[in-house]
């Protein structure tokens, strides 16, 4: 059996400790060890963005990060976005714009949109499409997703 | 063959690949109040028809019945009006073409 | 039905009921199932496209630390060579079982051969590599026309071509031949002033849902099997698993988790029976997940096809005859969607003389599965391209020629039935008057194309139960898995009946033990049929509530009426009570109210769409850019317009992907070389403009609110619309899909 | 996925010692966007991943208008294009860093990893070649430098000897009146691997009429990214003209020896070399 390492990291502001094998990705650790199943596996090789999380302030595919690499780092996931009594504005915009159908890509898109708006609060439609190109959606045709992100940007402008 | 009691009778549109059995006839007027009766009466007139369309209590897999243009669940118990138009077609359900037997 | 009726809930855009769960990551999908003692299953797949399985030795895998169980086809009950009626269609049981775990032959690369349950997914995966399978590699056949040759390698000795119940003598890869015929095609072509005939080839494409297949199974000591999974239909999972395991449906409970897309691809079962076998063998719950490569290689895509279309018209644009030859790849086992393709190909038009021949052909590729209007996009690529060419040669506007020949209520389809009220003409007229169509489009290498499409939609069984709450809300119990917001579109129909807001309905999608039989979420049927069942269940509630009001007021039931959410007495006493207030009196008027509705409606009503697209072609690289896209569709009645638009936009974009880049690319050995999201090349948002979705409402007479299915038809027009736009841009007719850059370069003579 | 060990090395010498001891089955982990996928798909056998991201030397990102750029091997793409001076000095390299993967990939993947992965289709290698980059390599016997065009030796193969690792890349300061450009052809607009890639750097005279020197590099048309030496040389001293650029494009096509695979056909690739070389050269010239 593979040896496990002890890792201490911060997830959604809380200090978290876990044991994991070197070969376990951050996505596997989040889902299987910590039961944070909001990040989804769509392709497991960085091509769909369903597992997007924010690592030390930067958007990453959690399937392409090893769990052991997160020692001492800070991870933000979809579960940490909403306040206890209210949704994040991006979450509201997705609901109001009907920007989801099956919903499997939604957590990844929302994390990706959050990272975008933090680095560029006022993106053009093209900038939004460029930034979100790493997130695949097969249901919506992206129309309403792009509009939802534009709405959030407009509201904060 | 039973004597037609009805003034009007259902019409069966024979699928092109089965018209050999009807000597090329496309539209057959035939008595019957259910699909089962219609098939049975068809078979009396054109022997072999029943074998092509039916198993014991149901239509053969892969065959669907439309009554007046509406797809039913394919039950041979479905009732038909005297002016019904009946089509036997390759079955399609759930967006799936059922495979042949 | 009153077409002008104003609705209070229908046509509004409430927040979907499952929305908060889905934007917070709380919604539980199949792969999110966690439980104590859970084992992880992985499947070993054939590396060969066509091979005889000589032997399978699982001993090394079984001995590997952490492995708890290994299964092969030998663990399945002996499959009879008989037809299993699965409600959703009949399937040869042996084929069904062999596709789950190959017994004598592996028929495509990726065909499941064995499976392992272990304490971690990594161990299960490693153990799969320790299973020793001896193969005798056979020559594969990978293309439909080659498979139809008399000297082609045969996949099955047992297949003989059937034609409407008649069976041929010799074995063949052609499983069946169908034909539709109307009028006298020879005479029709003689009457034509112009005839155009072309061949078309389309590639194998995948639904591309983002969530891979998953299944978790638990087999209790008392024989009860529970399966948590992603599926378009929990009841069809139950039926298929019951047939494959030869186990009673009453002992199987299927719990449909949230589903991450399906588009038809999550109707057939693959790993669900495997998870059940592993759970039985190990006595533990087992979760089996597919990788993305497994999904591409081991689940049903929609078929590649070869299509020949011939159409004749008079100089004034009247189509006099049409002929089509459709040969569809079924994959490893019979059952391609050539039937729907043949049914839909000329359905937008009223043509007197038609002949359509369809062939279902097995090849060494995964068994095909439905994909959004299965068969219709392939067929429309041919017919709508040929019609465009006729219009161009006759100098007639492409929308005008469609109007001139448009099918209307009372016209006969080539496959026989007569059209009920349909909205095709309305979509073409809306296209003509849309600003997109009148906008200038004169730039070099920019082109505009139009095309239309038809999908017949289906009804099938649905059941809904409504429990009335004391606070004036209702809990709506349904069996249709919600892939695109149908909880809301179903709930809204019940809310409309009961005069309550959409938010006062709590819809739940439940397991197979907890609701009446409900067919799959597919065939564009859910808002139509399950919505119909919700309407009926709400009517049942309404009737019972009228009884309670009558009891409360001590009047005859006949003297109670209900309108706009208020019950009133119309005779004697002047009484009024709202639905909400009456709900607080249920206890004293007779106890809880449960309403139910079950339907199997026949009047699904066909759906039509007409699309407009502008493209730019990079003449030097062959790359096509979509500049503008307008998709017009008759929705009958849009219950929740946002999600109708979403279906239209999503379908159009899948069609764009199919048209431009998506295809299975095979090497000579029959291995797919692009089985990843990287190389399968589905559109990203950077490849697209906004998709203008225009909803037309021609109410369907077969539904109390006029609903037509909307999910499938939007994928039908994009393929020919884009081909026609490319022709407009560069003067080259593309007849092979996808219209990828290298094919365009070849067609333009650049390489 | 196979089991493997993981070490977060703190110094170059620690990493080099481990590499030397473990041999070919030890691999350097930087962004991991190629390596983790390769191990997961059993395309590479790895016993030990040596994470270098805590080593100071591989995180250097230092630009000086006189001496040029030192780009640490583990610096992620997004950090490179966040520095305006670097964007202005080496626009061709920036073109590449902005199209590798998607935004999330650019949060992890770096130019150094792209070089060490040695894919024939790597987007960063043609710009490094046209910008005269050198690779700074540390090994058991100390440091050495190697021009980037000599770094890749085959698909996935590099000139790194046993025990050696890439520490950084050095790019000289750009000459005046010069610029660079990189583009690739992909069927989609993002999230794709180059069917063909082409990079160009051009230096013009003060009148901006005559080409003083040029360098052209091609990706995905040979087992390694190519420096199109003859095509580059024939531009020196020529007036800026379509004719000169067409000649260079034809010379570039002459050295392409592409294969057909799922990403493109050989004929398509050869054709695209001409198109992309012209576009890269024109793009670089327009930026001057």
């Amino acid at each position: 059996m593979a040896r496990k390492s002890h890792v201490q990291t911060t997830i959604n502001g809380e200090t978290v400790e876990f044991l994991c094998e070197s070969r376990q990705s951050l996505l596997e650790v989040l889902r299987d060890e910590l039961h944070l199943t909001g990040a989804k596996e769509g392709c497991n090789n960085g091509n769909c963005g369903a597992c997007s999380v924010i690592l030390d302030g930067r958007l990453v595919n959690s399937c392409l990060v090893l769990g052991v690499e997160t020692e001492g780092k800070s991870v933000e996931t979809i579960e940490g976005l909403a306040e206890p009594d209210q949704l994040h504005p991006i979450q509201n915009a997705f609901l109001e714009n009907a920007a989801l159908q099956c919903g499997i890509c939604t957590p990844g898109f929302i994390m990706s949109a959050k990272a975008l708006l933090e680095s560029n609060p006022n993106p053009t439609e093209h900038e939004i499409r460029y930034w979100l190109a790493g997130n695949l959606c097969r249901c919506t045709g992206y129309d309403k997703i792009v509009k939802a992100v534009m709405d959030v940007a407009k509201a904060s402008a | 063959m039973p004597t037609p009691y009805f003034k009007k009778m259902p019409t069966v549109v024979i699928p092109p690949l089965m018209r050999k059995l009807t000597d090329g006839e496309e539209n057959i007027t035939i008595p019957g109040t259910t699909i089962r009766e219609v098939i049975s009466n068809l078979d009396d007139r054109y022997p072999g028809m029943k074998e092509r369309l039916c198993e014991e209590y149901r239509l053969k897999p892969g065959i669907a019945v439309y009554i007046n243009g509406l797809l039913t669940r394919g039950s041979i118990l479905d009732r038909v009006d005297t002016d019904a138009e009946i089509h036997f077609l390759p079955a399609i359900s759930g967006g799936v073409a059922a495979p042949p037997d | 039905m009153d077409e002008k009726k104003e609705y209070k809930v229908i046509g509004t855009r409430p927040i979907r009921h499952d929305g908060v769960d889905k934007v917070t990551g709380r919604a539980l999908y199949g792969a999110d199932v966690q439980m104590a003692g859970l084992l992880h299953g992985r499947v070993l797949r054939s590396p060969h496209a066509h091979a005889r399985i000589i032997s399978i030795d699982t001993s090394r895998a079984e001995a590997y630390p952490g492995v708890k169980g290994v299964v092969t086809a030998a663990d399945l009950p002996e499959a009879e060579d008989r037809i299993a009626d699965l409600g959703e269609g009949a399937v040869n049981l042996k084929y069904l079982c062999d596709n789950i775990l190959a017994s004598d032959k592996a028929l495509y690369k990726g065909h499941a051969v064995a499976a392992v349950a272990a304490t971690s997914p990594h161990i299960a995966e490693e153990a799969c590599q320790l299973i020793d399978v001896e193969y005798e590699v056979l020559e594969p056949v990978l293309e439909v026309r080659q498979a139809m040759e008399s000297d082609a390698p045969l996949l099955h000795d047992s297949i003989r071509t059937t034609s409407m119940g008649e069976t041929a003598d010799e074995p063949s890869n052609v499983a069946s031949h169908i034909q539709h015929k109307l009028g006298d095609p020879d005479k029709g072509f003689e009457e034509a002033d112009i005839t155009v005939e072309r061949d078309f080839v389309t590639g194998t494409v995948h639904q591309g849902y983002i969530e891979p297949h998953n299944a978790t199974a638990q087999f209790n000591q008392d024989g009860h099997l529970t399966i948590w999974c992603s599926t378009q239909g929990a009841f069809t999972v139950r039926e298929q698993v019951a047939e494959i395991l030869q186990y009673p449906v009453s002992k199987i409970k299927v719990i449909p988790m949230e589903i991450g897309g399906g588009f038809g691809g999550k109707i057939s079962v693959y790993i669900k029976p495997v998870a059940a076998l592993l759970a039985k063998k190990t006595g533990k719950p087992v979760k089996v997940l597919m990788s993305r490569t497994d999904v591409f290689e081991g689940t049903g895509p929609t078929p590649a096809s070869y299509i020949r279309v011939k159409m004749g018209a008079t100089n004034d644009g009247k189509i006099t005859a049409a002929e089509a030859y459709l040969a569809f790849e079924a994959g490893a086992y019979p059952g391609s969607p050539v039937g729907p393709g043949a049914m839909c190909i000329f359905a937008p038009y009223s043509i007197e003389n038609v002949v359509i021949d369809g062939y279902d052909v097995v090849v060494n590729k995964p068994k095909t599965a439905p994909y959004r209007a299965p068969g219709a996009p392939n067929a429309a690529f041919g017919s709508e391209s040929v019609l465009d060419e006729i219009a161009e040669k006759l100098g007639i506007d492409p929308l005008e020629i469609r109007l001139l020949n448009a099918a209307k209520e009372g016209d006969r389809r080539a496959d026989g039935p007569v059209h009920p009220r349909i909205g095709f003409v309305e979509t073409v007229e809306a296209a003509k008057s849309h600003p997109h169509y009148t906008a200038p489009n004169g730039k070099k290498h920019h082109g505009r194309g139009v095309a239309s499409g038809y999908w017949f939609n289906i009804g099938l069984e649905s059941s809904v139960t409504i429990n009335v709450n004391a606070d004036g809300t209702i809990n709506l119990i349904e069996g249709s898995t919600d892939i695109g917001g149908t909880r809301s579109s179903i709930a809204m129909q019940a809310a409309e009946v009961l005069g309550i807001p959409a938010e006062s309905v709590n819809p739940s999608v439940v397991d197979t033990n907890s609701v009446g039989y409900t067919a799959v979420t597919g065939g564009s049927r859910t808002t139509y049929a399950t919505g119909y069942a919700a309407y009926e269940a709400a009517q049942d509630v309404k009737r019972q509530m009228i009884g309670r009001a009558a009891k409360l007021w001590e009047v005859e039931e006949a003297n109670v009426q209900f309108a706009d959410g208020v019950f009133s007495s119309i005779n004697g006493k002047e009484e009024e009570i709202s639905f909400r207030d009456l709900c607080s009196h249920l206890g004293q008027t007779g106890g809880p109210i449960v309403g139910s509705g079950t339907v199997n409606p026949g009047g699904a009503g066909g759906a039509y769409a007409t699309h407009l697209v502008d493209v730019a072609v990079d003449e030097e690289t062959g790359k096509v850019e979509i500049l503008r896209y307008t998709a017009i569709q008759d929705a009958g009645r849009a219950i929740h317009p946002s999600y109708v638009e979403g279906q239209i936009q999503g379908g159009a974009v899948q069609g764009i992907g199919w048209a431009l880049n998506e295809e299975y690319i095979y090497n000579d050995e029959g291995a797919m070389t692009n089985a990843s999201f990287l190389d399968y090349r589905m559109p990203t948002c950077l490849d697209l403009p906004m998709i203008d979705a225009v909803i037309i409402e021609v109410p369907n007479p077969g539904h109390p609110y006029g609903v037509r299915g909307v999910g499938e038809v939007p994928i039908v027009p994009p393929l020919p619309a884009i081909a026609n736009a490319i022709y407009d841009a560069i003067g080259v007719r593309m007849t092979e899909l996808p219209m990828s850059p290298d094919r365009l370069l070849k067609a333009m003579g650049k390489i | 996925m196979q089991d493997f060990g993981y070490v977060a090395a703190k110094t170059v010498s620690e990493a080099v010692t481990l590499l030397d001891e473990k041999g070919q089955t030890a691999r350097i982990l930087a962004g991991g966007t190629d390596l983790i996928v390769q191990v997961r798909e059993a395309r590479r056998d790895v016993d030990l991943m040596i994470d270098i991201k805590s080593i100071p030397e591989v995180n250097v990102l230092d630009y000086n208008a006189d001496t040029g750029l030192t780009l640490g091997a583990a610096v992620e793409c997004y950090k490179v294009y966040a520095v305006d001076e670097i964007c202005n000095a080496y626009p061709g390299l920036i073109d590449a860093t902005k199209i590798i993967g998607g935004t999330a990939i650019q949060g992890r993947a770096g130019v150094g990893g792209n070089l060490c992965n040695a894919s024939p289709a790597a987007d960063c290698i043609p710009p490094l070649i046209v910008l005269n980059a050198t690779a700074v390599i540390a090994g058991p016997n100390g440091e050495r430098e190697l021009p980037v065009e000599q770094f890749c030796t085959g698909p996935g193969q590099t000139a790194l000897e046993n025990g050696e690792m890439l520490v950084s890349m050095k790019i000289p300061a750009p000459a005046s009146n010069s610029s660079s450009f990189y583009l690739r052809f992909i069927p989609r607009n993002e999230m794709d691997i180059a069917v063909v890639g082409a990079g160009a750097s051009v230096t013009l005279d003060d009148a901006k009429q005559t080409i003083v020197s040029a360098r052209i590099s091609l990706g995905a048309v040979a087992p390694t990214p190519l420096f199109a030496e003859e095509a580059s040389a024939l531009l020196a001293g020529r007036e800026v003209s379509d004719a000169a650029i067409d000649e260079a494009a034809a010379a570039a096509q002459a050295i392409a020896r592409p294969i057909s695979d799922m990403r493109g056909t050989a004929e398509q690739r050869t054709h695209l070399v001409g198109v992309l070389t012209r576009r890269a050269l024109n793009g670089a010239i327009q930026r001057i």
Side-chain angles (χ1 to χ4, degrees), chain D residues 73-163:
Chain D
V75 176
E76 298 90 339
C77 287
Y78 80 95
K79 285 183 184 155
V80 181
Y81 57 68
V83 182
D84 287 346
E85 293 84 355
I86 300 175
C87 293
N88 293 332
Y90 311 107
L93 181 64
I94 299 305
D95 292 333
T97 56
K98 283 186 170 176
I99 58 177
I100 286 188
T103 343
I105 298 286
Q106 290 156 22
R108 290 266 293 169
V111 177
N114 200 224
L115 178 59
C116 291
N117 188 53
S119 161
D123 288 310
C124 288
I125 303 178
L128 288 173
I129 290 174
V130 301
L131 292 168
N132 281 306
T134 51
V136 179
I137 296 165
N141 305 317
E143 268 195 8
R144 67 181 176 117
E145 292 195 15
L146 189 69
V148 162
E149 57 260 41
Q150 292 168 27
F151 190 86
C152 300
T153 55
Q157 305 294 316
T158 68
L160 291 176
E161 303 284 341
N162 211 28

Side-chain angles (χ1 to χ4, degrees), chain C residues 500-520:
Chain C
I500 56 178
E503 294 76 13
S504 292
V505 185
N506 302 315
S508 301
V509 178
V510 298
D511 65 72
T512 51
N513 283 7
S514 308
V515 67
Y517 185 93
T518 299
V520 295

Side-chain angles (χ1 to χ4, degrees), chain D:
Chain D
M1 193 177 194
Q2 73 176 121
D3 191 24
F4 54 80
Y6 169 87
V7 176
K10 294 284 183 294
T11 63
V12 169
S13 67
E14 182 189 350
V16 164
T17 305
L18 280 168
L19 279 173
D20 198 31
E21 279 171 13
K22 299 281 179 181
Q24 288 302 309
T25 56
R27 292 292 295 184
I28 297 290
L29 173 70
T33 55
D34 285 312
L35 181 63
I36 292 172
V37 174
Q38 287 162 3
V39 177
R40 187 172 284 147
E41 294 176 355
R43 286 189 278 130
R44 201 183 271 283
D45 181 20
V46 172
D47 278 342
L48 179 69
M49 286 201 192
I50 305 166
D51 186 345
I52 58 169
K53 291 191 287 294
S54 348
I55 300 174
E57 290 93 323
V58 302
N59 285 304
V60 171
L61 182 63
D62 178 52
Y63 175 69
N64 178 306
D66 297 324
T67 56
L69 177 70
T70 302
L71 175 52
V75 176
E76 298 90 339
C77 287
Y78 80 95
K79 285 183 184 155
V80 181
Y81 57 68
V83 182
D84 287 346
E85 293 84 355
I86 300 175
C87 293
N88 293 332
Y90 311 107
L93 181 64
I94 299 305
D95 292 333
T97 56
K98 283 186 170 176
I99 58 177
I100 286 188
T103 343
I105 298 286
Q106 290 156 22
R108 290 266 293 169
V111 177
N114 200 224
L115 178 59
C116 291
N117 188 53
S119 161
D123 288 310
C124 288
I125 303 178
L128 288 173
I129 290 174
V130 301
L131 292 168
N132 281 306
T134 51
V136 179
I137 296 165
N141 305 317
E143 268 195 8
R144 67 181 176 117
E145 292 195 15
L146 189 69
V148 162
E149 57 260 41
Q150 292 168 27
F151 190 86
C152 300
T153 55
Q157 305 294 316
T158 68
L160 291 176
E161 303 284 341
N162 211 28
E164 284 190 327
M165 64 174 271
L166 178 73
V167 177
S168 62
M169 292 142 289
K170 285 185 177 169
I171 306 180
S176 53
N177 298 323
S178 76
S179 196
S180 57
F181 198 94
Y182 173 77
L183 81 167
R184 65 182 180 190
F185 178 77
I186 53 173
R188 293 189 288 182
N189 289 332
E190 260 289 341
M191 297 303 290
D192 233 329
I193 303 291
V195 175
V196 173
S201 67
V202 179
T203 303
L204 300 182
D205 66 354
D206 287 341
K208 299 188 181 177
Q209 299 291 321
T210 304
I211 298 170
V212 176
S213 67
R215 284 171 74 85
I216 299 164
S217 176
L218 305 172
V221 293
T224 65
L226 295 178
F227 171 44
E229 203 167 356
E230 284 179 30
S232 305
L234 65 80
L235 285 169
R238 298 284 297 271
E239 291 277 306
V240 174
S241 68
D242 287 347
I245 286 168
D246 286 348
E247 275 178 50
Q253 273 179 306
I255 63 161
R257 31 185 215 283
I259 57 165
S260 290
D261 64 10
M262 71 286 193
R263 294 185 180 132
T265 63
E267 311 80 67
Q268 178 193 15
R269 286 184 159 123
T270 302
H271 169 80
L272 287 173
V273 167
V275 177
L276 266 54
T277 301
R278 282 193 295 276
R279 289 183 183 183
L281 285 166
N282 282 321
I285 290 165
Q286 272 163 25
R287 279 176 172 166
I288 297 169

Side-chain angles (χ1 to χ4, degrees), chain C residues 545 553 562 564-567 576-585:
Chain C
M545 295 284 278
W553 298 328
F562 180 68
D564 295 333
V566 177
F567 296 90
E576 248 189 31
I577 190 165
S578 68
F579 178 87
R580 183 195 168 110
D581 289 342
L582 183 55
C583 287
S584 66
H585 296 291

